[in-house]
Amino acid sequence: AAESSESDEEDLVSYGTALQPLQEGERIKKPVPLQEQTVKDAKGRYQRFHGAFTGGFSAGYFNTVGTKEGWTPSAFVSSRQKRADRTILGPEDFMDEEDLSEFGIAPKDITTTDDFASKAKDRIKEKAKQIAGVVAAIPGTTAFDDLIGPSKITVGVELLRKMGWKEGQGIGPRLKRKPHRQKPDPGVKVYGCALPPGLSEGSEDEEDEYQPENVTFAPKDIMPVDLTPKENVHGLGYKGLDPSQALFGVSGREHLNLFPGGSEDTSNLLGDVRHSKGRKLGITGQAFGVGALEEEDDDIYATEMLSKYDTVIKDEEPGDGLYGWTAPKQYKSKKRSEREVKYIGKILDGFSLASKSSTPSKIYPPPDLPRNYRPVHYFRPVIAAGNENCPLRKALEESTGKLESDATQQSRHALNASQRRERLGETGLKGPAPSVLEYLSEKDRERLKEVKQASEQQMKAKMLPQQSRSSRFQPASPDDASHKWQMLLGGQLGNAGSSDFKPFARNPEKQKRYESFVKSLKQGEKDTLEHYLDPSMTEWERGREQEEFFRAAMFYKSSNSTLSSRFTRAKYEDDVDKVEVPRDQENDIDDKETAVKMKMFGKLTRDKFEWHPEKLLCKRFNVPDPYPDSSIVGLPKVKRDKYSVFNFLTVPEPTTSVTQVTNEKMQQNNSLNKPKKPSRWDVSDKEKEKKDAISEFISLARSKADVQQQQSPVPATEECGAGLSETLPTEVANEDKDQEEESRPSMDLFKAIFVSSSDEKSSSSEEESDEEQQPTTSVINSETTKEVDLPDTSSSNVQENVADTTDPGVSLLTASKQELDAAEEFGPKLPPAFSSGRLCRLLVRKEKHRKNREKHKTKREHKHKKEKKKKHKKQKNKGKHKNKKSEKDSSSDTADSSDSLSDIDTTGLSPKELLRR
Amino acid sequence: GSIDSTIRCWDCRSRRPDPIQVLDEAKDGVSSVKVSDHEILSGSVDGRVRRYDLRAGQLCSDYVGSPITSVCFSKDGQCALVASLDSTLRLLDKETGELLGEYTGHRSTTYRLDCVLSEQDTHVGSASEDGNVYFWDLVEGSLALSLAVGPGVVQSLSFHPTLPCLLTATQGQVQLWREETFQPE
């Protein structure tokens, strides 16, 4: 057994490594289960078999170099010492070993280069190699490349090769014909279960002589090119649903795909290989499925619609029976060819007939020539005005159709604008008013007319006696007038009286007469003028009207042609035309005058207006604003026509009416007053105004002298006396001066006089005034002044006066003269009174005397009145109406007194009348 | 009041140089302007007395006829005294414009003379061109006093508002007049 065991031992063959003999008491290790085993990489790291770059995001995140954040940034290295060591880092520098390993992103293991890779990839290289192989010293060496080269060919290609496909060939069954002759005959319709391809193609083969029967060709490897330009904005290859397909009975393209017809042949021209390829197999289409080797499965969205099929067998056309889709192509395309027939000629290569004819351009007919148009211009012979060659003119007239009526208007330069306008047939200037009259308002025009007529009548009235004197039986002969006016107007009337001017628009008949009148006047018919006047009128009226017409015509002439061409009517309402005038005017004072005279103050003399004080003024017066809402200040105003003359004419001058108090006074004052608004502030001003600039100058100098006098410390009375004493020596000079004033000498002379010493000036001026006073005072003296309190004034008092000045308070007897002197010195710088002023005052005084006389008589009555007043004053708070009553009583009292009655009668108004008002 | 026929109201508080309101209703120079607490009374050479009532917002224009030289309110504010160049003073009711009294005897035909009312409204006074100052009884209308002031025209006249005291101006002299019983301290 031992021997056997030994031999056994020697014979034993052991495999593998024996397990370690178990130690005493040692447990047997449990093997780790597979799911619990963890993989380690070469470096002993768990579960990492790729680098950061290789593994994608998670790898980049979890397996990154070093830290969770990523690669450790390189520490800063000073470039001072290591300037040259700067290296350009590539991605490899950041890669792990795993990235660079066999399965990494950038393996550094040995790989097959392109040279050894599959040749199927690069066709050009292959070709180059083939050429090189041919050219090479040992031909055919390149053939070994295929053997040496690693087989990197895809399975599909390998399968194709095994099926006999070679690179460069098209895929598909081999063809018997030449590739370029492959296109199917469009004439042959394939329908339904078509003929077997062998049959159809066999027929074709017969035509091909030089092609061996047993030789087939591989289909050409051509990528079909789609040459239809993309014109829409759809995506590439998108084909929308054709609405024509959806319609019943309309054959769409799909239909024709099944049965390739005439419309297809254009695409056939391009050599649609795919088409031919597919069709080669025979019947194609969705209904039959797609062959494994066909590329027809592209049209997966094509829909089958019933409308694509014919549901009705149509009647066949009589004749050859070649109608419908089975008809030969030529027959079918007959209609189309009709259109194409239009173009006869050779179509250039690359060009084709347009399918659509371009829209014909619009043709405009040439303008119609006038009937009497003559293409050649000829000049008409000009005939001088007033020529006597009538036959020639007549001939011309016939030739031109009309002749210029007026020979004088032949030359166009002689025409004025309006005449030219008429000739041109233009309408007259509508915009501008033909006359100033139009600018006036209707009312004003009327008034103007009235005024005019009144003045005319006045003139007539003046003329009438003269005419009657000259020609007894013909008062205002119209002939005379017309001739006179015609002389005046002359030829100017030619353009007068065009239709826009209607001076007698208010009287249409008259206007009509006027128009015909003007027309006749224009034509120069002097004798027939009267025919246009109203025959029913009297001779005098007719004459008057004629003159009126003449005037109007002349007025129009002067205003129209000159004004209308220069002015244009304002387009917008112009505020400048209006002027603001107070709404309420203080009404006329004639009544007030009489009321004042009758001492009937109150309602008659009072005007009440609405008046708006300024707000600030109210505030300062500590008074509430009476019109808190109004924006007006002062009297409310209204707008009126600014250019209305009557706006300013109607304002009555108070001065003139005031002077109506007494008749004599009125007359005097009227003669003194200027028509312009005189200031009655000082009466002497009126005189001053009469002597305009020079007298102003004088007065200015005088007032200057007065100032100087006032400045002088000498007492006034003394000066007065001195002035009087000086009267005699300077009298002559004064007279001279007066003469100068009247003859209005040059200003230099005045300067020479007045620029001299002030003494002389003052004295002279005083003298003048004194001199002027002399007559006044004398007049005053001559009058019997019966005023009780007023002392008699006399020139003889002058000396006394000088003496009296020592006691000014007591001196009652002051001469008027003296007083005037004083006034000149101490008055509020009023210009010295002239003789006229004195006169006025004198008159006033006269009037006063008379009044005083009356006063004596009415004194009793006055007292009575005063008592009433007193009573009335007490009753004032009780009622105002009673007040009036008392006034009435007093007035009736005055009426009782016969003396005052006569006074009142001068006004022409009885007191009762006044009272009634 | 101005000779340019306007009355101009300035605001003294604002010191603006331009007037806040111009009353240009007068047709001629304004010779006299008096102001009460709510009225502006003016006399114009155009012969009208115009009273601008600020409280009522009214303008009352009374026609007198003769150029007006001076106007003044009575102390009770009910009447207006009007002096005009026809040598007449008129006392007009302010509200109605009625004539309450007429005073004549003095001479005022050329110059702008003043008229006054005494401190008790009992008398009416006016300067005159004859060198006197005349006083009338307001109610009676009768001449009460003629005061010879000077040889020339008494230009200005002013009555003390509360005392019987008169101030006159004539020929470069201003005179103060008191009652006879007055004893200067």
Side-chain angles (χ1 to χ4, degrees):
Chain A
E3 276 179 37
S4 65
S5 69
E6 245 181 77
S7 62
D8 281 349
E9 247 176 70
E10 284 171 14
D11 291 339
L12 277 176
V13 179
S14 56
Y15 293 98
T17 51
L19 290 165
Q20 294 274 324
L22 287 166
Q23 298 287 321
E24 284 296 322
E26 194 183 11
R27 274 186 153 190
I28 299 166
K29 255 189 187 173
K30 250 190 170 177
V32 183
L34 195 70
Q35 67 271 13
E36 287 179 6
Q37 288 176 7
T38 49
V39 205
K40 291 176 188 174
D41 64 354
K43 285 190 175 177
R45 290 177 298 199
Y46 287 107
Q47 292 176 331
R48 276 191 57 176
F49 301 103
H50 50 75
F53 279 79
T54 313
F57 169 74
S58 67
Y61 183 75
F62 293 109
N63 305 341
T64 39
V65 193
T67 62
K68 199 178 177 183
E69 285 76 29
W71 299 288
T72 341
S74 67
F76 170 73
V77 180
S78 170
S79 61
R80 205 171 144 204
Q81 281 89 24
K82 295 190 174 182
R83 199 176 292 252
D85 277 2
R86 199 191 282 173
T87 51
I88 298 160
L89 297 176
E92 288 85 4
D93 293 321
F94 301 98
M95 285 181 181
D96 290 333
E97 290 158 15
E98 288 87 353
D99 288 325
L100 302 171
S101 66
E102 191 182 353
F103 305 105
I105 195 171
K108 293 222 164 168
D109 294 330
I110 298 167
T111 52
T112 49
T113 56
D114 280 346
D115 292 337
F116 302 100
S118 168
K119 284 157 199 166
K121 285 174 187 172
D122 203 337
R123 230 177 263 170
I124 301 161
K125 258 187 185 171
E126 196 180 16
K127 261 185 189 163
K129 262 180 199 169
Q130 281 173 352
I131 294 162
V134 173
V135 180
I138 308 162
T141 46
T142 51
F144 295 110
D145 287 350
D146 287 332
L147 303 174
I148 298 164
S151 66
K152 271 264 179 173
I153 311 158
T154 58
V155 180
V157 173
E158 213 163 335
L159 281 171
L160 274 171
R161 273 186 182 166
K162 278 180 181 166
M163 284 171 74
W165 175 78
K166 284 174 186 157
E167 287 182 60
Q169 288 181 349
I171 295 165
R174 296 189 69 82
L175 305 171
K176 280 179 183 170
R177 286 175 53 202
K178 274 184 177 178
H180 62 277
R181 298 285 305 261
Q182 267 175 359
K183 64 171 182 181
D185 193 356
V188 180
K189 299 297 144 197
V190 188
Y191 174 64
C193 297
L195 296 165
L199 278 176
S200 66
E201 279 169 17
S203 63
E204 283 176 11
D205 282 352
E206 287 163 10
E207 299 162 9
D208 220 339
E209 312 84 82
Y210 20 84
Q211 190 150 358
E213 287 188 20
N214 52 348
V215 175
T216 57
F217 293 93
K220 235 180 168 182
D221 190 16
I222 294 170
M223 288 297 286
V225 184
D226 191 10
L227 289 176
T228 52
K230 183 170 155 49
E231 293 165 321
N232 49 20
V233 291
H234 301 307
L236 276 176
Y238 171 82
K239 195 178 75 185
L241 191 66
D242 191 1
S244 63
Q245 288 178 6
L247 292 173
F248 187 77
V250 180
S251 62
R253 261 194 74 190
E254 298 302 312
H255 193 80
L256 288 171
N257 264 348
L258 268 175
F259 322 104
S263 63
E264 281 274 300
D265 53 8
T266 46
S267 63
N268 288 341
L269 276 171
L270 294 167
D272 195 343
V273 185
R274 186 191 64 182
H275 171 82
S276 60
K277 243 195 300 183
R279 295 299 175 270
K280 271 299 136 192
L281 294 175
I283 300 159
T284 56
Q286 267 74 27
F288 300 96
V290 181
L293 290 175
E294 284 176 338
E295 298 175 2
E296 280 292 321
D297 54 348
D298 48 359
D299 194 10
I300 53 168
Y301 298 109
T303 48
E304 281 293 306
M305 279 189 287
L306 209 62
S307 63
K308 290 176 182 173
Y309 299 94
D310 282 335
T311 52
V312 177
I313 299 169
K314 290 170 187 171
D315 290 335
E316 286 196 350
E317 285 272 306
D320 51 359
L322 296 171
Y323 177 74
W325 47 270
T326 52
K329 186 192 169 189
Q330 291 78 18
Y331 199 89
K332 239 177 145 183
S333 60
K334 248 183 193 171
K335 282 174 195 168
R336 222 171 37 169
S337 63
E338 275 170 23
R339 209 183 64 199
E340 286 168 353
V341 136
K342 275 181 194 167
Y343 180 77
I344 306 159
K346 209 178 170 186
I347 296 169
L348 282 171
D349 292 341
F351 287 88
S352 63
L353 276 175
S355 56
K356 278 188 216 165
S357 67
S358 59
T359 53
S361 58
K362 205 173 179 183
I363 298 160
Y364 298 97
D368 292 328
L369 289 172
R371 228 164 13 111
N372 52 355
Y373 170 73
R374 265 180 285 184
V376 182
H377 181 73
Y378 75 98
F379 296 92
R380 200 166 288 161
V382 178
I383 301 167
N387 249 349
E388 61 276 344
N389 43 4
C390 285
L392 183 54
R393 278 188 82 168
K394 253 199 191 132
L396 262 175
E397 191 175 356
E398 277 158 17
S399 71
T400 55
K402 73 173 178 100
L403 186 71
E404 280 86 356
S405 57
D406 199 349
T408 57
Q409 290 178 352
Q410 282 260 335
S411 149
R412 67 190 163 88
H413 297 292
L415 302 174
N416 63 16
S418 57
Q419 281 169 327
R420 273 196 295 273
R421 186 184 66 214
E422 266 173 42
R423 276 206 180 180
L424 287 169
E426 286 173 356
T427 52
L429 290 171
K430 277 279 153 55
S435 78
V436 217
L437 276 180
E438 286 228 343
Y439 290 108
L440 298 173
S441 73
E442 187 66 35
K443 227 170 101 187
D444 289 349
R445 233 178 298 172
E446 255 175 66
R447 285 162 97 170
L448 238 172
K449 219 177 115 193
E450 280 166 21
V451 167
K452 206 173 109 190
Q453 279 178 344
S455 68
E456 263 173 35
Q457 268 175 332
Q458 227 172 10
M459 209 176 73
K460 264 270 136 76
K462 240 183 266 172
M463 279 170 70
L464 208 58
Q466 290 176 358
Q467 281 177 345
S468 59
R469 237 174 281 142
S470 59
S471 57
R472 270 288 159 87
F473 51 89
Q474 267 201 334
S477 84
D479 278 341
D480 285 358
S482 74
H483 284 311
K484 185 185 79 192
W485 278 108
Q486 223 134 23
M487 290 275 280
L488 253 168
L489 292 168
Q492 296 174 350
L493 262 178
N495 11 325
S498 63
S499 53
D500 340 4
F501 179 57
K502 290 190 169 63
F504 309 107
R506 280 169 57 79
N507 191 346
E509 273 184 42
K510 197 172 182 185
Q511 174 66 27
K512 210 179 276 174
R513 264 181 278 142
Y514 170 71
E515 273 164 22
S516 51
F517 169 83
V518 167
K519 211 182 284 170
S520 70
L521 203 65
K522 236 193 279 188
Q523 286 160 3
E525 302 167 36
K526 289 169 189 170
D527 305 328
T528 54
L529 284 179
E530 285 104 65
H531 299 312
Y532 298 101
L533 301 176
D534 195 359
S536 61
M537 281 180 168
T538 63
E539 203 129 298
W540 184 81
E541 275 174 329
R542 285 169 70 174
R544 211 184 122 216
E545 192 173 83
Q546 192 173 1
E547 190 157 346
E548 204 173 356
F549 285 173
F550 271 120
R551 269 181 203 279
M554 182 130 109
F555 183 54
Y556 169 71
K557 155 71 185 145
S558 57
S559 62
N560 177 36
S561 54
T562 54
L563 286 181
S564 65
S565 56
R566 277 167 178 75
F567 292 99
T568 181
R569 188 180 283 279
K571 286 211 171 62
Y572 305 102
E573 182 86 22
D574 205 354
D575 260 1
V576 181
D577 283 345
K578 305 266 182 161
V579 72
E580 283 198 333
V581 289
R583 190 183 61 189
D584 316 299
Q585 294 265 11
E586 285 162 349
N587 44 28
D588 57 326
I589 46 182
D590 290 345
D591 296 342
K592 290 191 178 122
E593 208 54 61
T594 50
V596 163
K597 230 189 124 197
M598 290 178 60
K599 303 191 195 306
M600 288 172 62
F601 286 90
K603 270 198 170 173
L604 292 173
T605 56
R606 168 153 284 206
D607 290 310
K608 248 186 195 179
F609 307 113
E610 190 183 307
W611 176 72
H612 297 246
E614 171 79 20
K615 286 187 170 51
L616 187 60
L617 194 69
C618 290
K619 208 179 268 179
R620 292 286 177 266
F621 267 81
N622 201 17
V623 154
D625 194 347
Y627 307 102
D629 303 328
S630 85
S631 57
I632 333 166
V633 171
L635 295 178
K637 308 230 171 184
V638 284
K639 287 205 166 179
R640 293 225 188 117
D641 279 342
K642 187 183 187 178
Y643 301 117
S644 166
V645 192
F646 307 100
N647 232 358
F648 304 102
L649 288 179
T650 49
V651 185
E653 284 303 318
T655 41
T656 51
S657 47
V658 166
T659 52
Q660 284 171 357
V661 178
T662 55
N663 285 334
E664 43 176 314
K665 194 180 174 186
M666 180 187 76
Q667 277 175 0
Q668 290 289 341
N669 262 359
N670 273 347
S671 66
L672 292 172
N673 282 346
K674 296 279 140 347
K676 66 174 181 175
K677 185 173 152 185
S679 175
R680 298 181 305 162
W681 175 236
D682 43 359
V683 192
S684 59
D685 262 3
K686 287 164 196 164
E687 194 57 31
K688 199 182 90 184
E689 277 162 23
K690 207 178 257 170
K691 299 175 180 177
D692 33 79
I694 295 165
S695 59
E696 257 179 47
F697 185 73
I698 292 165
S699 63
L700 194 83
R702 216 170 264 167
S703 64
K704 223 189 266 173
D706 283 349
V707 172
Q708 279 167 343
Q709 273 187 339
Q710 278 178 345
Q711 282 166 350
S712 68
V714 188
T717 48
E718 275 181 35
E719 172 120 42
C720 182
L724 283 168
S725 63
E726 275 174 20
T727 306
L728 281 169
T730 51
E731 194 110 35
V732 187
N734 269 326
E735 274 168 19
D736 285 349
K737 211 184 119 195
D738 283 348
Q739 278 171 6
E740 279 162 12
E741 256 178 65
E742 273 147 41
S743 60
R744 292 196 181 181
S746 69
M747 293 301 276
D748 291 30
L749 191 62
F750 275 103
K751 273 176 193 165
I753 294 165
F754 288 111
V755 174
S756 58
S757 74
S758 63
D759 271 26
E760 197 187 346
K761 219 186 296 170
S762 64
S763 64
S764 67
S765 64
E766 265 170 40
E767 244 85 77
E768 191 188 36
S769 60
D770 285 352
E771 186 188 47
E772 278 169 10
Q773 278 163 24
Q774 300 292 352
T776 13
T777 44
S778 62
V779 172
I780 290 164
N781 286 338
S782 66
E783 283 195 8
T784 50
T785 52
K786 286 178 182 171
E787 284 178 71
V788 193
D789 299 317
L790 269 175
D792 271 348
T793 55
S794 63
S795 54
S796 61
N797 279 341
V798 176
Q799 278 81 12
E800 281 177 44
N801 189 22
V802 175
D804 281 341
T805 40
T806 48
D807 190 4
V810 194
S811 68
L812 284 166
L813 305 167
T814 45
S816 66
K817 183 173 146 196
Q818 180 101 30
E819 160 223 313
L820 282 165
D821 282 345
E824 270 189 14
E825 280 165 29
F826 295 100
K829 267 204 201 169
L830 292 168
F834 277 74
S835 58
S836 65
R838 295 287 141 72
L839 202 68
C840 186
R841 231 169 39 179
L842 175 78
L843 289 162
V844 170
R845 188 160 298 178
K846 251 187 203 167
E847 195 254 340
K848 206 190 277 165
H849 289 316
R850 212 179 45 139
K851 254 191 183 168
N852 279 337
R853 257 180 273 134
E854 285 168 20
K855 208 186 267 170
H856 285 297
K857 286 163 189 167
T858 55
K859 209 161 196 175
R860 172 187 50 84
E861 160 229 324
H862 260 290
K863 256 194 179 160
H864 188 63
K865 204 165 148 190
K866 291 287 132 60
E867 279 169 19
K868 290 252 159 122
K869 283 283 133 63
K870 202 173 171 184
K871 230 189 272 172
H872 147 76
K873 251 207 143 181
K874 282 171 191 164
Q875 290 170 348
K876 201 185 243 173
N877 292 333
K878 287 173 187 175
K880 298 285 178 203
H881 55 279
K882 213 161 188 187
N883 206 348
K884 280 172 215 158
K885 211 175 242 175
S886 69
E887 188 71 25
K888 255 180 206 172
D889 289 346
S890 67
S891 63
S892 64
D893 279 357
T894 49
D896 288 342
S897 65
S898 57
D899 286 29
S900 56
L901 245 178
S902 63
D903 204 343
I904 290 155
D905 281 342
T906 55
T907 60
L909 274 168
S910 74
K912 271 170 194 169
E913 252 178 51
L914 265 173
L915 277 172
R916 244 177 275 142
R917 287 192 205 172
Chain B
S2 160
I3 203 157
D4 68 349
S5 76
T6 61
I7 300 160
R8 282 158 200 267
C9 310
W10 283 274
D11 185 13
C12 298
R13 224 176 273 183
S14 74
R15 290 190 171 186
R16 270 196 312 180
D18 40 332
I20 54 172
Q21 188 168 12
V22 178
L23 318 174
D24 54 354
E25 280 75 39
K27 302 283 187 297
D28 208 332
V30 177
S31 57
S32 174
V33 175
K34 289 277 161 39
V35 173
S36 76
D37 59 341
H38 67 281
E39 293 158 307
I40 300 168
L41 186 71
S42 75
S44 168
V45 186
D46 65 358
R48 281 178 188 272
V49 180
R50 287 181 181 80
R51 188 172 57 87
Y52 299 88
D53 193 333
L54 274 89
R55 195 180 281 164
Q58 265 187 346
L59 162 62
C60 296
S61 164
D62 288 316
Y63 184 75
V64 172
S66 182
I68 286 153
T69 57
S70 177
V71 288
C72 60
F73 285 110
S74 64
K75 297 284 185 293
D76 64 350
Q78 304 249 18
C79 310
L81 186 68
V82 178
S84 54
L85 279 185
D86 55 354
S87 300
T88 313
L89 275 101
R90 289 181 179 87
L91 190 68
L92 299 178
D93 188 299
K94 204 181 73 183
E95 293 303 319
T96 60
E98 285 168 9
L99 186 70
L100 302 176
E102 211 173 18
Y103 312 97
T104 51
H106 66 298
R107 198 176 69 197
S108 168
T109 55
T110 311
Y111 299 106
R112 189 218 162 277
L113 300 181
D114 280 328
C115 63
V116 290
L117 277 149
S118 67
E119 87 280 7
Q120 300 282 336
D121 272 351
T122 53
H123 287 81
V124 167
S126 171
S128 174
E129 286 164 15
D130 56 10
N132 290 356
V133 169
Y134 293 88
F135 275 94
W136 295 266
D137 187 274
L138 183 133
V139 179
E140 296 290 329
S142 58
L143 189 68
L145 174 73
S146 72
L147 206 61
V149 172
V153 177
V154 182
Q155 289 291 334
S156 188
L157 190 67
S158 179
F159 209 92
H160 195 280
T162 52
L163 299 171
C165 177
L166 180 71
L167 209 59
T168 60
T170 178
Q171 290 188 329
Q173 293 174 334
V174 175
Q175 295 161 354
L176 182 69
W177 300 76
R178 291 301 301 255
E179 66 269 27
E180 280 170 16
T181 53
F182 176 73
Q183 297 290 328
E185 296 103 45

